[in-house]
Amino acid sequence: MQNPASGPSVRGSMMTDPKVRAWAFQLIAIAAVLAAGWYLFHNTQSNLAQRGITSGFAFLNNSAGFGILQSLIDYTESDTYGRVFVVGLLNTLLVSVLGIAIATVIGFVIGVARLSPNWLISRLAAVYIEIFRNIPPLLQIFFWYFAVLRAMPPPRQSHELGETVFLNIRGLYLPSPGAGEGLWPFLIALAVALVASVVLVRWARARQEASGQRFPVSLGVIALLVVLPGIAAAVAGNPFVWTVPELTGFNFRGGWVVIPELVALTLALSIYTAAFIAEIVRSGIQSVSHGQTEAARSLGLRPGHTLRLVIIPQAMRVIIPPLTSQYLNLVKNSSLAAAIGYPDLVSVFAGTVLNQTGQAIETIAITMSVYLAISLSISLLMNWYNKRIALVER
Amino acid sequence: MKIVKSTLVSAVTVAALGLSAQASAGTTLDAVVKKGFVQCGVSDGLPGFSYTDARGNFLGIDVDVCRGVAAALFGDASKVRFTPLTAKERFTALQSGEVDILSRNTTWTSSRDAGMGLNFTGVTYYDGQGFLVSKKLGVTSAKQLDGAAVCIQAGTTTELNLSDYFRANGMKYTPITYDKSDETVKALEAGRCDVLTSDQSQLYAQRIKLADPEAYIVLPEVISKEPLGPVVRQGDDEWFNIVRWTLFALVNAEELGITSANVENLARSSQNPDVRRMLGAEGEYGKDLRLPRDWAVKLVKQVGNYGEMFERNVGMGSELKIQRGLNALWNAGGLQYAPPIR
């Protein structure tokens, strides 16, 4: 009698029960979303069929028949559209990885320089940031591609370095290594050196924690990595046979070529993104209370150590989340490649393949899901790293 | 900005195909009549075919085809609006309904005709793919191009023919692809590539865009068949018929000696039954096409016959100075032939 949920008016109470209502509304919402999705899918299907446009993913097995400027895997014109997709994807990933790496390095350097007590250094960093983050990335790509790299000489008048490295309007030609007689001993020595380095680092850390004495770890590691493989090469013979690019006919052949499209895109994206990263790094460092610096100084740490051991680790907690966004932006901006003919996923797959097959919906859907997948992977990775360095509360 | 645009076009297609209610046959004509103009997809700047002059007027053979359709339909060749499209954007723009006709030097192939929901209405220009090189290279034949860097426009049959040709001759090449034909020309001039390949007509057009056209030659080899023509959406026969018979009327007019100068006189006084039927003096042949009785008069009066169109845009009356060649009438040794209007 006192409980409104029981008694004669059961129906009314069901409707007024907030839990039931919440469930009901959620179910209705889900049903509406599913219905809309089904409607879109079904309507697209019937419209495509009615207009006589081929649909489905069978086209991925057809042979492509066109060449691609740069591919990281073997690709010939008789390969399938599916393989073109992989080639484009790898080219996108290549420019993204290079861009992220370079942008991070430049960004951290500029960000730290921005806070330098040296007036000139901090002003130069400020000028860098204000210039590059305020010019649209597409224009920066055009600048590097059309203004800088188009000014290189033709192949026959290449800039050269010791007749092994050549730079011209077609790209940077480098010698490429092949397996020589001493390759295996060299690789084994390198592996041994790597293992020894890990052991050395651990030993040095343990010693420092036990005795407080420091060991010049980086010098030791460098020595190991240079000396051991060096001895192996000296004993067993040359580990690599270098193929030097050679001017035959129209172009250089042999060796590696770094195409100007890749250089322009990587430079523009990393320089642009680095300006944002620099500001993120600056704000991260400034978020660490000055008391931390003073405490570190009073413990006798040198400024370099203070920065590396005290400030940066704490600043990282502030830096990582916005840094993730910048990485995502860089990956997404890499689709501007199409503007200068760099064969990335958008240019080759969502462009050429779409046009050759006419299957807009499928190619665009695949391309969008790929970018989504790349971005989500970067987010996951960065979130994992963020958790790892988060403040452990005791 | 073009990437943004091509992505937009694709996105619009996806949205249009997803959201639009079932399109039924015959809607293009009704829609065109209702809005009062023809929306025509043309190229992004190709002298002779479709380009804009200093005052922003669209000119060229492809442009004239669309003007012709507007003249036949509305009696007014100016009732047409143009959408410049890159090679990559063109089919999605037509499929999504953004344009009513795609008149953009597009090669007729089986996969485009059958697999993309498109219909080719005829051939406005019989073309073939060729090569443009700098004279400095000293190349006289395409067979000497082994190892060359080749500039191409992305998403064209050119890309496919090029690879076929080099493969068939056991030669290697480096493809340098750009979205716009202008970019390929600039890249050739800068030396990013050794050769530019495209349909021969385009090569002549692109050559005059170069700073020093005399320093470049078009190689003699023609490596493919490129019949270029206007395209409409499949499944809309009414509209297809109008575009197709506009083309046929242009060719028939040349064959019958009807020109923009004499068409009105002939319509009144000609005794030739072929001419009388075509110009509406005898019978009601426009009616079947849902066109006005005097559609062919308006068409020829305003854009001329096929021969006039050719000479004015790409032939001796233009900068390109291209010979009629394959594009002469069938009775003059060429391939242009149109079924009779009766």
Side-chain angles (χ1 to χ4, degrees), chain A residues 313-326:
Chain A
Q314 297 187 69
M316 284 310 265
R317 293 171 196 148
V318 178
I319 291 174
I320 293 298
L323 189 63
T324 310
S325 310
Q326 290 309 322

Side-chain angles (χ1 to χ4, degrees), chain A residues 35-258:
Chain A
W38 182 84
Y39 172 75
L40 271 180
F41 178 76
H42 177 77
N43 206 19
T44 307
Q45 285 282 325
S46 52
N47 270 335
L48 284 175
Q50 200 215 355
R51 295 185 187 185
I53 301 175
T54 316
S55 64
F57 293 92
F59 72 97
L60 289 173
N61 293 323
N62 296 350
S63 88
F66 57 86
I68 301 178
L69 175 56
Q70 171 191 292
S71 67
L72 298 180
I73 51 174
D74 283 338
Y75 171 82
T76 62
E77 289 88 347
S78 44
D79 284 326
T80 60
Y81 287 125
R83 194 152 178 104
V84 172
F85 166 75
V86 179
V87 170
L89 176 61
L90 288 176
N91 283 342
T92 290
L93 289 177
L94 174 70
V95 86
S96 305
V97 169
L98 285 176
I100 285 176
I102 299 174
T104 309
V105 172
I106 303 180
F108 270 77
V109 170
I110 300 284
V112 172
R114 182 80 183 80
L115 292 171
S116 163
N118 182 322
W119 187 87
L120 187 63
I121 290 179
S122 95
R123 280 314 117 141
L124 280 178
V127 167
Y128 174 95
I129 291 168
E130 292 309 334
I131 288 182
F132 287 109
R133 77 169 172 178
N134 290 316
I135 297 176
L138 186 60
L139 287 182
Q140 297 197 30
I141 293 173
F142 283 158
F143 169 76
W144 289 108
Y145 189 59
F146 290 113
V148 178
L149 296 174
R150 272 282 161 86
M152 293 293 154
R156 279 160 216 228
Q157 283 118 46
S158 301
H159 298 301
E160 53 182 276
L161 192 72
E163 297 194 357
T164 48
V165 177
F166 301 90
L167 178 66
N168 59 46
I169 191 169
R170 309 269 165 92
L172 177 66
Y173 290 80
L174 302 166
S176 61
E181 44 180 331
L183 182 68
W184 281 109
F186 177 82
L187 287 182
I188 291 166
L190 195 65
V192 170
L194 279 175
V195 172
S197 305
V198 173
V199 171
L200 177 73
V201 168
R202 292 206 168 162
W203 170 80
R205 193 180 297 153
R207 193 178 80 136
Q208 192 184 352
E209 287 194 355
S211 66
Q213 282 175 301
R214 294 174 55 81
F215 184 83
V217 180
S218 31
L219 270 179
V221 168
I222 291 172
L224 272 174
L225 288 179
V226 170
V227 172
L228 276 184
I231 293 173
V235 173
N238 205 342
F240 299 111
V241 182
W242 296 90
T243 315
V244 177
E246 209 179 337
L247 184 62
T248 47
F250 298 101
N251 289 310
F252 282 91
R253 287 194 195 181
W256 279 332
V257 55
V258 186

Side-chain angles (χ1 to χ4, degrees), chain B residues 54-85:
Chain B
R55 277 169 301 174
N57 299 320
F58 281 88
L59 298 172
I61 239 181
D62 287 343
V63 166
D64 282 350
V65 168
C66 288
R67 290 201 203 283
V69 172
L73 193 58
F74 299 113
D76 181 354
S78 66
K79 288 195 169 164
V80 52
R81 293 188 192 169
F82 296 99
T83 309
L85 298 165

Side-chain angles (χ1 to χ4, degrees), chain B:
Chain B
M1 285 308 89
K2 198 198 41 35
I3 320 120
V4 178
K5 202 176 148 209
S6 70
T7 318
L8 258 182
V9 170
S10 310
V12 167
T13 314
V14 173
L17 290 168
L19 290 171
S20 70
Q22 310 269 318
S24 62
T27 49
T28 308
L29 177 61
D30 295 336
V32 167
V33 170
K34 201 168 154 210
K35 67 185 171 185
F37 61 89
V38 178
Q39 190 76 48
C40 173
V42 294
S43 83
D44 48 346
L46 181 63
F49 287 81
S50 45
Y51 63 106
T52 46
D53 66 9
R55 277 169 301 174
N57 299 320
F58 281 88
L59 298 172
I61 239 181
D62 287 343
V63 166
D64 282 350
V65 168
C66 288
R67 290 201 203 283
V69 172
L73 193 58
F74 299 113
D76 181 354
S78 66
K79 288 195 169 164
V80 52
R81 293 188 192 169
F82 296 99
T83 309
L85 298 165
T86 66
K88 268 162 68 171
E89 296 160 356
R90 56 186 163 178
F91 298 121
T92 24
L94 181 63
Q95 286 169 340
S96 67
E98 196 189 324
V99 297
D100 302 315
I101 308 176
L102 179 71
S103 181
R104 194 206 169 283
N105 49 290
T106 299
T107 305
W108 190 348
T109 69
S110 66
S111 61
R112 287 172 175 178
D113 205 347
M116 293 192 185
L118 309 174
N119 269 341
F120 283 78
T121 55
V123 179
T124 43
Y125 190 100
Y126 289 97
D127 211 337
Q129 184 175 336
F131 296 97
L132 179 69
V133 297
S134 163
K135 279 182 186 162
K136 268 188 293 182
L137 287 181
V139 172
T140 52
S141 155
K143 296 261 161 61
Q144 300 167 325
L145 290 176
D146 192 16
V150 187
C151 281
I152 343 162
Q153 197 180 358
T156 53
T157 47
T158 316
E159 248 184 309
L160 309 177
N161 298 328
L162 173 74
S163 119
D164 288 352
Y165 182 78
F166 274 76
R167 258 195 296 167
N169 287 293
M171 305 192 297
K172 284 198 175 340
Y173 72 102
T174 312
I176 317 284
T177 9
Y178 296 98
D179 282 352
K180 288 190 176 182
S181 62
D182 273 359
E183 286 165 355
T184 59
V185 178
K186 272 187 255 157
L188 176 72
E189 238 176 349
R192 177 70 185 93
C193 50
D194 303 297
V195 196
L196 193 161
T197 183
S198 190
D199 295 348
Q200 280 218 321
S201 61
Q202 293 196 36
L203 292 181
Y204 286 106
Q206 284 162 338
R207 187 163 164 261
I208 60 173
K209 281 190 190 168
L210 294 165
D212 180 14
E214 291 309 310
Y216 293 83
I217 52 164
V218 176
L219 295 180
E221 280 90 349
V222 175
I223 65 167
S224 69
K225 288 194 289 190
E226 308 284 340
L228 311 179
V231 198
V232 296
R233 279 181 293 279
Q234 188 170 306
D236 191 345
D237 292 351
E238 231 170 18
W239 184 244
F240 171 78
N241 283 339
I242 290 178
V243 178
R244 152 170 276 194
W245 282 92
T246 303
L247 284 186
F248 286 157
L250 290 167
V251 175
N252 277 325
E254 186 185 8
E255 191 180 334
L256 296 171
I258 308 172
T259 66
S260 53
N262 68 13
V263 62
E264 280 173 331
N265 275 335
L266 287 176
R268 278 195 301 273
S269 59
S270 174
Q271 294 309 310
N272 181 338
D274 279 334
V275 175
R276 288 176 62 80
R277 274 194 294 270
M278 180 167 158
L279 299 182
E282 221 177 278
E284 283 265 11
Y285 296 97
K287 208 167 147 195
D288 300 338
L289 293 166
R290 286 188 61 188
L291 290 174
R293 190 187 183 99
D294 62 345
W295 65 284
V297 180
K298 293 274 168 44
L299 169 65
V300 178
K301 176 75 192 158
Q302 297 183 23
V303 302
N305 64 33
Y306 180 78
E308 289 178 84
M309 240 166 74
F310 190 98
E311 296 301 344
R312 178 173 69 226
N313 292 307
V314 297
M316 293 307 148
S318 72
E319 270 185 284
L320 302 181
K321 308 249 181 288
I322 300 176
Q323 304 283 339
R324 282 295 285 271
L326 290 176
N327 294 295
L329 288 183
W330 61 281
N331 52 14
L335 293 174
Q336 288 294 354
Y337 180 98
I341 290 175
R342 68 181 306 149

